[in-house]
C-alpha cells in the first residue's frame, strides 16, 4: 500500500451551483448564526442567549407548577397560551429591536451589501432572506415557549385533551407566533431601513412600539374617537390578536374592536412596512 | 461590450457615451477618481440600470439577467469596511456559498483561495485584526473562490505600500493567466495598469477617452522616434525632412517621423545620413498610457 499526497490547491470548479434559492438559504443561515452570536466573540452571544432564556423561564416555572401542585389549585396559577405572551412581552420587544438593526444596518455601513448584491441575490431576494431570518429568530421567542409549554403539559397529562385538540392548539400557537413575528419584523425592518446606525434603529424600534401605544391610548382615553384607534398601538395589537386567535378575549372589547379589523391592521402594517423598506432600498446606490 | 452607455441621476450625467469591447485577459478600467468607474462596475453587475445605450456582460444583459451573470462573476469592492468580527475563512466560505457552491465545496475552495492569496496561515483570523494588505487579499480570495469567469476588482491596490502593491499585481496576473479568469481592474494608477493589463479602457468626463489593447493604445507600429545628439542636430534633421515633404514633429533632441509602414525607417536613415547627425536612438514610437491619457483628455 502506498501513501499519496494530494496538493489540491486552487482549481477550476465545474460542479452544480445552487442559484438564487441557494443564495437565499445561505444568507438566512448566515444571518441567524450572526443573530445568535455564533462565530462571533462572546459579547455578541450574551444578549440573544439571555433573551431566549428569559422567554423560556416562565414556561419552565409553569411546567413546574403544573407538575408539583394539584391540578385544581395549579390551574389558577397557570396562564392560557395567549396570556403567556404577557410574561415575555419585554423579551419580544428587545429581540425585535436588536435583531433587525444588527442584520440590516451593518450591511449598509460595511461593504457587505455590495458583496451580497454582487452575488445571485438582488435587492428583493436579499430583503426577503433578511426578513425571513428576522422572523425565524423572533419565532424562537413567539412560538418556542408556548409550544414548549403545550408539549410539557401534554406529557404531564394536563394539556389539551386528545390528538385533534392538541393539533388545534399547536396550530393556534404557531399562527399567533407567526403573526407576532411578522408584525415585529415589519416594524423593526422599517425602522432599520431608515438609518444606517444600528443603535439608532434599536432605539427607533423601541420608540415606535412604545410611542404608538402611548399615543393611541392617550387619544382613546381623552377623546371620543373610536376604540379602533387602538389598532395603531404596535405594542398591543399583536398580543390582543393572539388572544382572538386562541379564542379568548384580552384587554380590547370584541364589540369595540373586531377581529377582522385587527387582521386588517396587521395586513396594513405589513404592506406599509414593505413599501417603506422598498422605497429605501429600491433606489439605494450601492457605492461600496 | 458597451455601446453608447449612459447613466444619469436626475439631471446629473455620470456617464454619457461609453463604448468598449473587453476580451479575455486583464483589462484596466482607468480614470481619475469620480469619473464613474465604480458606477460602470455597478452596471456590469446589474446593480444599476443604464440610462441609455446597451451593455452586455458575458453575452447577457446584466440588468435583466443579473442573477445568472453574477453567479459567474466575482467582485472585490473598493472599501475595506468588511465585518471585523468575522474570520477570513468564514467570510470567503459565505461568499462562495452565495455564488452557488454547495457548503462543503465552498469550505474547501475558500481555504484553497486563501492559500492562493497567501493567507493560508492567517485564514482563521478575524478580518478586523488584519492589515490593509491582508484585507485586500481576502477581498481577492472571496472574488475568486467560486471560480468565476470574470472578476471585477475595484482599486485592489488602494492603501498598499509599494511592496504589497507588487505582490497584489503579481497575484492578479497569476489569477488571470494560470486559471484563465478574465479580470477587469479599476484603477486610477496608470502605471499599475500598464504593468499587468493586456488592454485598457480610459474613462474621462463620463465618456470613453480610449479603449483597446495596450499595444494599440500606445501606438506600437506607427511613427519612428529618432533621438540625436543635440537640439541643433534635431533642427538640422527637421529641415532635411521638411525639404523632402516628410511629416514630422520635433521635441528637444527627439524628432518623431510620421509613418506606419517599414519605409519610414528608410526615410529616417536617409535623412539622418544627409543631415550628418549622430543618432542615439531610432525606434518605433511607443507612448506611455500617461501620454495616451493626457493626449485624449486634452
Amino acid at each position: 500500500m502506498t501513501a499519496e499526497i494530494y496538493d489540491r490547491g486552487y482549481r477550476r470548479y465545474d460542479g452544480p451551483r445552487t442559484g438564487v434559492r441557494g443564495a437565499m438559504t445561505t444568507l438566512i443561515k448566515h444571518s441567524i448564526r450572526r443573530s445568535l452570536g455564533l462565530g462571533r466573540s462572546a459579547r455578541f452571544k450574551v444578549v440573544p442567549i439571555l433573551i431566549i432564556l428569559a422567554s423560556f423561564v416562565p414556561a419552565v416555572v409553569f411546567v413546574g407548577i403544573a407538575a408539583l401542585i394539584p391540578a385544581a389549585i395549579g390551574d389558577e396559577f397557570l396562564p392560557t397560551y395567549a396570556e403567556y405572551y404577557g410574561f415575555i412581552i419585554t423579551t419580544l420587544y428587545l429581540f425585535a429591536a436588536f435583531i433587525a438593526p444588527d442584520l440590516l444596518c451593518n450591511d449598509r455601513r460595511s461593504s457587505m451589501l455590495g458583496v451580497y448584491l454582487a452575488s445571485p441575490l438582488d435587492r428583493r431576494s436579499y430583503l426577503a432572506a433578511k426578513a425571513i431570518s428576522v422572523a425565524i429568530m423572533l419565532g424562537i421567542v413567539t412560538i418556542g415557549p408556548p409550544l414548549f409549554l403545550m408539549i410539557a403539559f401534554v406529557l404531564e397529562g394536563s394539556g389539551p385533551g386528545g390528538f385533534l385538540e392538541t393539533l388545534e392548539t399547536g396550530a393556534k400557537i404557531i399562527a399567533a407566533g407567526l403573526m407576532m413575528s411578522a408584525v415585529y419584523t415589519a416594524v423593526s425592518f422599517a425602522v432599520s431601513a431608515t438609518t444606517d446606525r444600528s443603535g439608532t434603529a434599536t432605539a427607533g424600534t423601541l420608540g415606535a412600539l412604545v410611542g404608538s401605544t402611548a399615543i393611541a391610548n392617550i387619544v382613546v382615553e381623552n377623546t371620543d374617537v373610536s376604540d379602533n384607534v387602538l389598532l395603531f398601538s404596535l405594542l398591543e395589537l399583536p398580543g390582543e390578536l393572539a388572544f382572538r386567535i386562541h379564542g379568548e378575549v384580552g384587554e380590547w372589547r370584541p364589540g369595540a374592536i373586531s377581529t377582522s379589523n385587527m387582521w386588517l391592521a396587521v395586513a396594513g402594517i405589513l404592506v406599509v412596512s414593505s413599501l417603506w423598506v422598498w422605497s429605501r432600498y429600491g433606489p439605494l446606490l450601492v457605492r461600496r | 461590450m458597451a455601446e453608447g452607455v449612459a447613466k444619469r441621476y436626475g439631471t446629473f450625467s455620470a456617464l454619457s457615451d461609453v463604448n468598449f469591447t473587453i476580451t479575455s485577459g486583464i483589462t484596466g478600467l482607468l480614470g481619475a477618481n469620480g469619473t464613474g468607474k465604480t458606477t460602470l462596475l455597478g452596471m456590469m453587475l446589474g446593480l444599476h440600470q443604464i440610462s441609455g445605450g446597451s451593455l452586455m456582460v458575458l453575452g447577457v444583459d446584466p440588468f435583466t439577467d443579473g442573477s445568472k451573470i453574477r453567479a459567474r462573476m466575482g467582485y472585490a469592492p473598493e472599501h475595506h469596511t468588511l465585518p471585523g468580527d468575522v474570520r477570513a475563512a468564514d467570510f470567503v466560505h459565505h461568499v462562495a456559498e452565495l455564488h452557488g457552491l454547495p457548503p462543503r465545496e465552498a469550505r474547501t475552495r475558500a481555504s484553497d483561495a486563501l492559500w492562493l492569496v497567501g493567507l493560508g496561515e492567517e485564514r482563521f483570523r478575524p478580518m478586523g485584526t488584519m492589515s490593509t494588505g491582508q484585507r485586500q487579499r481576502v477581498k481577492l480570495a472571496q472574488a475568486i473562490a467560486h471560480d468565476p469567469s470574470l472578476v471585477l476588482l475595484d482599486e485592489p491596490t488602494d492603501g498598499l505600500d509599494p511592496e504589497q502593491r507588487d505582490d497584489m499585481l503579481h497575484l492578479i496576473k497569476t489569477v488571470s493567466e494560470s486559471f484563465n479568469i478574465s479580470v477587469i481592474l479599476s484603477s486610477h494608477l496608470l502605471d499599475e495598469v500598464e504593468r499587468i493589463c493586456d488592454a485598457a479602457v480610459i474613462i474621462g468626463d463620463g465618456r470613453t477617452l480610449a479603449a483597446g489593447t495596450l499595444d494599440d493604445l500606445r501606438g506600437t507600429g506607427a511613427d519612428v522616434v529618432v533621438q540625436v545628439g543635440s537640439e541643433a542636430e534635431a533642427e538640422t534633421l527637421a529641415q532635411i525632412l521638411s525639404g523632402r515633404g516628410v511629416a514630422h514633429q520635433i521635441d528637444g533632441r527627439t524628432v518623431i517621423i510620421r509613418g506606419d509602414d517599414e519605409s519610414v525607417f528608410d526615410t529616417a536613415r536617409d535623412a539622418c545620413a544627409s543631415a550628418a547627425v549622430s543618432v542615439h536612438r531610432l525606434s518605433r514610437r511607443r507612448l506611455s498610457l500617461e501620454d495616451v491619457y493626457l493626449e485624449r483628455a486634452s
Side-chain angles (χ1 to χ4, degrees):
Chain A
M1 187 175 161
T2 56
E4 287 183 78
I5 297 172
Y6 288 97
D7 178 16
R8 287 162 56 96
Y10 184 87
R11 66 212 173 281
R12 303 309 309 250
Y13 173 77
D14 54 7
R17 292 185 189 257
T18 56
V20 178
R21 193 172 291 181
M24 285 181 72
T25 307
T26 301
L27 183 55
I28 291 167
K29 279 194 301 185
H30 178 78
S31 300
I32 290 173
R33 280 179 56 82
R34 273 191 78 77
S35 294
L36 291 172
L38 302 177
R40 303 172 85 180
S41 60
R43 70 189 175 95
F44 291 104
K45 295 179 176 71
V46 174
V47 171
I49 288 173
L50 280 181
I51 289 177
I52 290 171
L53 284 179
S55 71
F56 276 88
V57 165
V60 174
V61 171
F62 292 131
V63 169
I65 290 174
L68 298 172
I69 301 175
I73 306 168
D75 282 353
E76 298 212 359
F77 294 100
L78 297 178
T80 65
Y81 295 107
E83 283 172 345
Y84 186 82
Y85 291 116
F87 292 93
I88 60 165
I89 204 74
T90 310
T91 61
L92 245 172
Y93 303 152
L94 287 175
F95 219 23
F98 277 104
I99 292 172
D102 185 41
L103 292 182
L104 281 189
C105 300
N106 290 338
D107 278 358
R108 287 204 306 278
R109 288 194 77 181
S110 69
S111 306
M112 282 309 290
L113 183 60
V115 171
Y116 284 130
L117 297 183
S119 77
L121 295 170
D122 58 16
R123 288 161 210 255
R124 280 192 185 86
S125 48
Y126 165 81
L127 287 170
K130 286 285 180 178
I132 292 168
S133 311
V134 176
I136 289 173
M137 286 299 295
L138 290 175
I140 294 174
V141 177
T142 59
I143 299 173
L147 208 56
F148 167 76
L149 203 59
M150 186 195 78
I151 292 167
F153 284 164
V154 168
L155 294 174
E156 282 178 349
S158 56
F163 176 73
L164 282 180
E165 201 182 328
T166 305
L167 209 63
E168 186 188 342
T169 306
K172 285 177 178 174
I173 287 171
I174 290 170
L178 286 177
M179 178 274 298
M180 294 181 95
S181 293
V183 171
Y184 292 126
T185 298
V187 173
S188 59
F189 237 62
V191 177
S192 301
T194 311
T195 172
D196 286 355
R197 297 190 171 275
S198 54
T200 308
T202 296
T205 304
L206 290 171
L209 293 170
V210 176
S212 63
T213 302
I215 292 169
N217 277 285
I218 288 169
V219 169
V220 169
E221 282 170 19
N222 296 291
T223 63
D224 294 331
V225 295
S226 159
D227 282 2
N228 280 306
V229 170
L230 288 172
L231 293 170
F232 289 98
S233 165
L234 300 173
L235 208 69
E236 293 175 331
L237 172 65
E240 287 294 328
L241 187 52
F243 275 107
R244 303 286 173 94
I245 289 171
H246 281 283
E248 301 170 29
V249 176
E251 296 284 318
W252 294 358
R253 287 170 289 124
I257 303 173
S258 69
T259 305
S260 56
N261 279 356
M262 291 164 80
W263 278 115
L264 274 176
V266 166
I269 291 168
L270 299 186
V271 169
V272 169
S273 166
S274 302
L275 290 174
W276 174 249
V277 171
W278 186 248
S279 76
R280 302 288 299 174
Y281 273 84
L284 184 71
L285 287 177
V286 184
R287 291 194 177 281
R288 288 171 179 249
Chain B
M1 188 176 78
E3 281 182 5
V5 169
K7 180 65 188 172
R8 288 181 290 277
Y9 299 106
T11 54
F12 173 72
S13 176
L15 296 169
S16 56
D17 184 22
V18 175
N19 299 281
F20 58 80
T21 300
I22 289 174
T23 53
S24 58
I26 306 177
T27 302
L29 185 57
L30 271 170
N33 288 326
T35 48
K37 300 190 297 293
T38 302
T39 301
L40 192 55
L41 292 184
M43 290 195 291
M44 288 182 193
L45 287 163
L47 303 183
H48 316 304
Q49 192 165 14
I50 59 176
S51 309
S54 78
L55 180 67
M56 302 289 273
V57 179
L58 300 172
V60 180
D61 180 341
F63 195 75
T64 56
D65 225 348
S67 295
K68 275 186 190 166
I69 278 290
R70 290 192 294 270
R72 295 164 59 198
M73 288 170 77
Y75 170 62
E78 178 184 358
H79 292 263
H80 307 305
T81 48
L82 296 170
D85 59 334
V86 178
R87 296 183 304 181
D90 293 338
F91 173 64
V92 178
H93 169 219
H94 178 47
V95 178
E97 263 197 273
L98 282 171
H99 281 85
L101 265 59
R104 185 176 294 181
E105 193 69 32
R107 174 67 67 192
T108 311
R109 291 190 61 89
S111 185
D112 292 341
L114 284 163
W115 275 103
L116 179 72
V117 301
L119 289 176
E121 302 288 351
E122 313 284 340
R123 65 190 189 280
F124 296 119
R125 268 178 59 186
M127 292 188 288
T129 67
M130 291 182 157
S131 68
T132 304
Q134 288 171 322
R135 284 202 294 270
Q136 288 284 26
R137 285 164 185 259
V138 172
K139 287 195 288 183
L140 178 61
Q142 61 83 28
I144 62 170
H146 60 284
D147 187 26
S149 303
L150 173 65
V151 172
L152 309 182
L153 305 176
D154 198 354
E155 305 278 3
T157 57
D158 187 37
L160 303 187
D161 63 37
E163 197 175 334
Q164 291 173 327
R165 216 174 118 211
D166 285 350
D167 291 345
M168 177 57 78
L169 293 176
H170 177 69
L171 261 174
I172 293 167
K173 202 160 178 62
T174 302
V175 164
S176 175
E177 289 179 352
S178 303
F179 304 106
N180 198 26
I181 296 173
S182 296
V183 175
I184 294 180
L185 170 77
S186 165
S187 176
H188 62 280
L189 302 173
L190 296 157
D191 67 313
E192 67 184 34
V193 169
E194 201 153 20
R195 276 170 58 189
I196 66 163
C197 291
D198 306 303
V201 176
I202 303 176
I203 306 281
D205 295 333
R207 63 193 172 84
T208 316
L209 297 178
T213 64
L214 288 199
D215 284 344
D216 287 344
L217 291 174
R218 290 185 298 202
T220 299
D223 303 344
V224 161
V225 177
V226 182
Q227 195 177 65
V228 293
S230 65
E231 290 187 10
E233 285 187 347
E235 288 291 342
T236 309
L237 179 59
Q239 281 171 12
I240 300 280
L241 290 167
S242 297
R244 295 178 183 180
V246 177
H248 65 279
Q249 181 189 329
I250 187 165
D251 181 13
R253 293 192 298 132
T254 303
V255 178
I256 299 165
I257 303 173
R258 305 291 182 197
D260 56 5
D261 57 16
E262 288 301 313
S263 67
V264 72
F265 278 104
D266 298 335
T267 306
R269 179 201 61 208
D270 295 346
C272 288
S274 301
V277 294
S278 55
V279 178
H280 289 216
R281 183 164 77 93
L282 191 152
S283 65
R284 284 284 183 199
R285 187 187 185 207
R286 194 171 175 82
L287 296 174
S288 69
L289 269 186
E290 188 177 356
D291 297 330
V292 176
Y293 181 81
L294 293 173
E295 192 177 294
R296 304 293 174 97
S298 62

